[in-house]
Amino acid sequence: MFRHMQNSEIIRKMTEEFDEDSGDYPLTMAGPQWKKFKSSFCEFIGVLVRQCQYSIIYDEYMMDTVISLLTGLSDSQVRAFRHTSTLAAMKLMTALVNVALNLSINMDNTQRQYEAERNKIIGKRANDRLELLLQKRKELQENQDEIENMMNAIFKGVFVHRYRDAIAEIRAICIEEIGIWMKMYSDAFLNDSYLKYVGWTMHDKQGEVRLKCLTALQGLYYNKELNSKLELFTSRFKDRIVSMTLDKEYDVAVQAIKLLTLVLQSSEEVLTAEDCENVYHLVYSAHRPVAVAAGEFLYKKLFSRRDPEDDGILKRRGRQSPNANLVKTLVFFFLESELHEHAAYLVDSMWDCATDLLKDWECMNSLLLEEPLNGEEPLTDRQESALIEIMLCTIRQAAECHPPVGRGTGKRVLTAKEKKTQLDDRTKITELFAVALPQLLAKYSVDAEKVTNLLQLPQYFDLEIYTTGRLEKHLDALLRQIRDIVEKHTDIDVLEACSKTYHALCNEEFTIFNRVDIARSQLIDELADKFNRLLEDFLQEGEEPDEDDAYQVLSTLKRITAFHNAHDLSRWDLFGCNYKLLKTGIENGDMPEQIVIHALQCTHYVILWQLAKITESSSTKEDLLRLKKQMRVFCQICQHYLTNVNTAVKEQAFTILCDVLMIFSHQIMTGGRDMLEPLVYTPDSSLQSELLSFILDHVFIDQDDDNNSADGQQDDEASKIEALHKRRNLLAAFCKLIVYTVVEMNTAADIFKQYMKYYNDYGDIIKETMSKTRQIDKIQCAKTLILSLQQLFNEMIQENGYNFDRSSPTFSGIKELARRFALTFGLDQLKTREAIAMLHKDGIEFAFKEPNPQGESHPPLNLAFLDILSEFSSKLLRQDKRTVYVYLEKFMTFQMSLRREDVWLPLMSYRNSLLAGGDDDTMSVISGISSRGSTVRNKKTKPATGKRKVPEAEESSSSDSMWMNREQTMHTPVMMQTPQLTSTIMREPKRLRPEENYMGVYPMQPEHHQAPLDYKQQEEAARQQQERAAMNYVKLRTNLQHAIRRGTSLMEDDEEPIVEDVMMSSEGRIEDLNEGMDFDTMDIDLPPSKNRRERTELKPDFFDPASIMDESVLGVSMF
């Protein structure tokens, strides 16, 4: 083929024989064998050049032929040829660069030998050797010129065009290889003439290409000897690299941060403080690789430098260790990051690169307990709180060995080395803080925030060390401190931390259990006795309780509730006293709200612990009956408090009531627990109604109407977010009852109808509820959806009356909600067939439910609902449309079918939506077109020659307005006899224009075929002809609307599309990038030499760079 055909003929023949329709070729095919093929293909090219580097590549035939063919193929419009030839050409170029580098080294060696021989004295100089070295140098120079010409041909013929190819993979190949060239042979390629291509391509729209740019630059910046050649490039493109740390592709962002770390190591002066701050805040990113890369950058910048003075104190420990200043620096950085309060994220980001610093707990402990040295500033209260929080996070990270919540996909299996490290760290933590923790608690016992964090440390102790290390006295000191803290504090967080600490220490597997259990029991005994005594005085009749008594009752109740959350206090029988307290509150109505809230919570814990006890062990019938009685009485109390005047009390009662109903539903018997059947409790209709009313009154409200924010902070953004979070939890609690069929599914109608109005706040919860209910019962879910639309329709009627405007925002909103409901049914019409049919049945019955009191000549009062129902017609199967249509006719009278006033438009519109794609003969052509919605969309509608044209204004108007314009001249087509079909229906459907199809169904007879008519007959015929044409157009519009909607919206998510740029955030455009660098493509010039032969002419580039580059790049000359 090469001997008898030119390259152009070869390429033409290859193009003709290639099956481009398949789109598959080896470089894009998946599977290990194709990956191996690609690597072997690249390796083959390198081996070929390496084996031929001494002779064959200089024969002026093989390399010329290969380069010429690859250059031609790289300009092919066939992607497979262009991709494969570009890869081959770039690998060939890489191999030639390696050859050129070897030649350069050999030339240097030859030149050095020549100079050494020539500098010898004449007597010792070997003239033959000089001539050989001179000849060798000349030969090497010629070979280098030859290689230089080959590389120039490939670079200009392939790279310069393909680095901006329309295919991202091809662009990535080019950038990856030029990075190799610059790294391999920096003397020839590492200059601004080649760096500019990498700089330009950093603005590429595809993350894959941007990633190759960054990895190529990393290889260059890693070598500090090359930094001087990168100064100009760094100054021009530094801002772009910094902005890429916010790239929407996380892999690109990670590599951008790593590149900046290399830049920082090469020269700290290059990056400004603002540049560094842009990277610093990424340590709080939820994406762990980004955060870890930013943590390494932060560590290199702020923590890796060590003063010479520190060398003498490397062996010092505690407050005098070299890590002391670094720990303070970490605290200062954390406090300065005011927008972030996640110490766990900061610790996790630096865990891999600063492990020794973060595990220096002895230093942290010394900074908290020891007095500052002479001349050293003590830590402020805020700094001490930050240090304690960071210390807690480091201990948690070391003990649990997994990232904090929000980072990572879950716990991973630890290796043997990691498990050993974990055990060693826990031992170190326990030995240090078993002694230090009581001292820390004693020092900060009055500070709630510090105490809350410190009390979490025992959760990560190895409790066996208390016994093996003989640390029992320190355990007793810890228990005394916890007891004192319980007596001093009433803050819920502090009390719950104390409760969890007791729970962690009360482990029956360890010998310290008895010691801790005794201390816990003594504390609970005192609290329970005190609570009973105070409650008796508090509830005495005839006496008005003062504030001090109420405070004492509340503080004691808080402590008991906090402990009851984690500990079984059943033997103290707390149900009776709490019930008495709540009952009194209902009767008198003057009980302080906080007492009621905590009494409800404590009673809830009592019931849950009793249930757990019955479930885990064999129980008597009396235990079941007692729990059943207590649970039902408690539900009644909660139901009473749903009507309390205080919102916080109502929210607490609602939340607890939803939890109890969920726990004691029929789900309680799952898993073989049939013996718990007596405990099943199903809420009656009144309770369901009250729960629903609470949701409607307290969840579906405007933000401005929510007055639950504390201290009147109505405009505080944080308080608004917190209030929204609380409302979402309330709604989720009720929706769980719907999903698990604890309450009737039709109660969800009042929730579903709020879908559009409160989409931003609760759209995800309502949509998930729809999905779950549909999985449980498709038909009942469909009935609930139509019920919600009926409720909205009735509300509109009550507000506006029956003579409302169907173009009003309210009615349009109901129609849009129906459209969204229809989208949730998905694409599989067979699965939802019965549900959709039932939905139409209920909708039709509702539309004709209320007859008009003025008689049959007036439409039913709810007839307009059919306009809403038509949104679901596209979800019906073709055969089901006919069935629904027949069912619709049962409600219609003959007079209804003849009405054509504006008020009857919903009926006509709904009937047309059922006829579109139906089985009847009159609509067979329509169904043929509707089944090919894409054909209708893609082809422009042309006016039918010789047939009536629809005016443009009429085409652009809605079907409703069209019907109104023709209300005096139009008959409904439903009751007509089926007209005789013409031969139009026998044509190829996709060749028909829509107007022709419909005119074919209702043909217009040419005038010369009509018999002579008098004036009235002619007028009547013209009127009927106009009516039929108008009806055909209405059907066409309806059918096209449904076809387009099916084609474009079935995959629509109920969210606004998010249009993302390459960057998550960008500030301005890169300006003044063309200063100081040459734009023109340079010849590859190794040492100075002249080209000895010209290569083939370069073909023009057929690919537009605007399709792959940002607009901000193309408009600016960067060099």
Side-chain angles (χ1 to χ4, degrees), residues 469-521:
R470 298 185 178 183
L471 302 175
E472 288 86 354
K473 64 177 183 179
H474 297 290
L475 175 62
D476 294 336
L478 175 61
L479 295 175
R480 286 195 301 271
Q481 291 298 329
I482 297 176
R483 183 188 181 96
D484 293 341
I485 290 171
V486 172
E487 293 175 354
K488 289 179 182 179
H489 290 271
T490 58
D491 184 83
I492 295 297
D493 293 335
V494 176
L495 294 175
E496 287 187 350
C498 293
S499 176
K500 291 178 181 177
T501 303
Y502 272 114
H503 183 267
L505 296 174
C506 285
N507 192 329
E508 297 181 1
E509 298 179 2
F510 301 99
T511 55
I512 64 172
F513 170 74
N514 291 331
R515 190 187 298 262
V516 180
D517 186 44
I518 292 172
R520 179 184 61 175
S521 299

Side-chain angles (χ1 to χ4, degrees), residues 449-558:
E449 181 184 0
K450 295 184 179 68
V451 166
T452 302
N453 286 325
L454 289 172
L455 284 171
Q456 297 182 46
L457 298 184
Q459 300 176 31
Y460 310 106
F461 284 1
D462 183 1
L463 299 180
E464 190 66 32
I465 294 179
Y466 272 113
T467 304
T468 58
R470 298 185 178 183
L471 302 175
E472 288 86 354
K473 64 177 183 179
H474 297 290
L475 175 62
D476 294 336
L478 175 61
L479 295 175
R480 286 195 301 271
Q481 291 298 329
I482 297 176
R483 183 188 181 96
D484 293 341
I485 290 171
V486 172
E487 293 175 354
K488 289 179 182 179
H489 290 271
T490 58
D491 184 83
I492 295 297
D493 293 335
V494 176
L495 294 175
E496 287 187 350
C498 293
S499 176
K500 291 178 181 177
T501 303
Y502 272 114
H503 183 267
L505 296 174
C506 285
N507 192 329
E508 297 181 1
E509 298 179 2
F510 301 99
T511 55
I512 64 172
F513 170 74
N514 291 331
R515 190 187 298 262
V516 180
D517 186 44
I518 292 172
R520 179 184 61 175
S521 299
Q522 290 175 350
L523 178 60
I524 300 300
D525 279 336
E526 293 181 6
L527 291 175
D529 292 342
K530 182 179 180 181
F531 180 61
N532 288 325
R533 186 176 65 256
L534 291 171
L535 189 62
E536 185 176 351
D537 297 337
F538 185 71
L539 298 180
Q540 282 184 353
E541 297 181 1
E543 294 187 10
E544 186 71 23
D546 57 14
E547 293 184 1
D548 291 339
D549 294 338
Y551 176 78
Q552 290 295 329
V553 171
L554 175 60
S555 59
T556 307
L557 183 57
K558 279 184 175 181

Side-chain angles (χ1 to χ4, degrees), residues 181-427:
W181 307 338
M182 290 187 289
K183 182 180 179 181
M184 182 188 300
Y185 197 178
S186 58
D187 292 338
F189 289 94
L190 188 55
N191 55 61
D192 300 331
S193 300
Y194 299 101
L195 282 170
K196 65 184 180 183
Y197 296 106
V198 181
W200 290 339
T201 317
M202 282 197 295
H203 296 265
D204 197 280
K205 292 182 178 180
Q206 296 297 321
E208 174 189 359
V209 184
R210 300 196 298 275
L211 186 63
K212 293 296 183 183
C213 293
L214 295 173
T215 53
L217 291 173
Q218 286 176 14
L220 302 177
Y221 280 98
Y222 184 79
N223 188 350
K224 294 184 179 181
E225 296 178 357
L226 305 179
N227 291 339
S228 59
K229 297 183 178 181
L230 293 167
E231 290 179 357
L232 185 57
F233 176 85
T234 305
S235 64
R236 292 294 180 269
F237 290 97
K238 180 198 66 175
D239 293 339
R240 173 57 182 167
I241 298 172
V242 172
S243 67
M244 292 175 77
T245 60
L246 298 176
D247 198 279
K248 69 175 184 179
E249 301 286 346
Y250 285 124
D251 292 341
V252 177
V254 169
Q255 298 305 323
I257 298 172
K258 290 183 176 180
L259 177 58
L260 288 176
T261 305
L262 293 173
V263 173
L264 179 68
Q265 291 176 333
S266 63
S267 176
E268 293 188 1
E269 293 77 16
V270 173
L271 298 178
T272 64
E274 183 180 358
D275 296 333
C276 295
E277 288 174 2
N278 289 332
V279 183
Y280 289 162
H281 74 274
L282 293 176
V283 297
Y284 298 102
S285 170
H287 190 260
R288 192 169 190 272
V290 172
V292 170
E296 184 178 357
F297 179 89
L298 174 65
Y299 182 76
K300 297 288 186 184
K301 178 66 176 176
L302 300 181
F303 300 96
S304 61
R305 290 174 297 177
R306 190 181 300 276
D307 296 333
E309 300 177 358
D310 294 340
D311 295 337
I313 57 173
L314 287 176
K315 296 182 180 180
R316 296 183 183 179
R317 304 173 67 181
R319 196 180 191 100
Q320 298 181 2
S321 70
N323 282 338
N325 289 330
L326 299 181
V327 170
K328 291 181 181 179
T329 303
L330 181 63
V331 171
F332 299 154
F333 174 81
F334 176 61
L335 292 176
E336 288 176 1
S337 305
E338 297 179 353
L339 297 178
H340 306 282
E341 299 178 357
H342 307 289
Y345 276 28
L346 173 60
V347 169
D348 181 57
S349 301
M350 301 182 62
W351 191 254
D352 295 337
C353 60
T355 307
D356 294 337
L357 171 64
L358 297 177
K359 287 185 179 181
D360 195 349
W361 298 300
E362 185 177 355
C363 175
M364 298 179 188
N365 185 55
S366 300
L367 289 173
L368 293 171
L369 289 178
E370 296 178 3
E371 294 297 326
L373 303 174
N374 294 331
E376 181 184 3
E377 292 186 7
L379 295 176
T380 64
D381 180 72
R382 187 161 173 257
Q383 291 169 353
E384 288 178 336
S385 298
L387 177 56
I388 291 174
E389 185 177 359
I390 291 173
M391 182 175 68
L392 170 63
C393 294
T394 59
I395 292 173
R396 181 190 296 119
Q397 186 94 356
E400 295 181 348
C401 292
H402 65 77
V405 177
R407 280 190 183 168
T409 56
K411 295 183 179 180
R412 61 184 180 86
V413 179
L414 301 180
T415 63
K417 182 178 180 180
E418 290 173 334
K419 288 181 180 180
K420 184 180 183 303
T421 303
Q422 182 185 29
L423 293 175
D424 293 343
D425 288 340
R426 291 191 66 180
T427 301

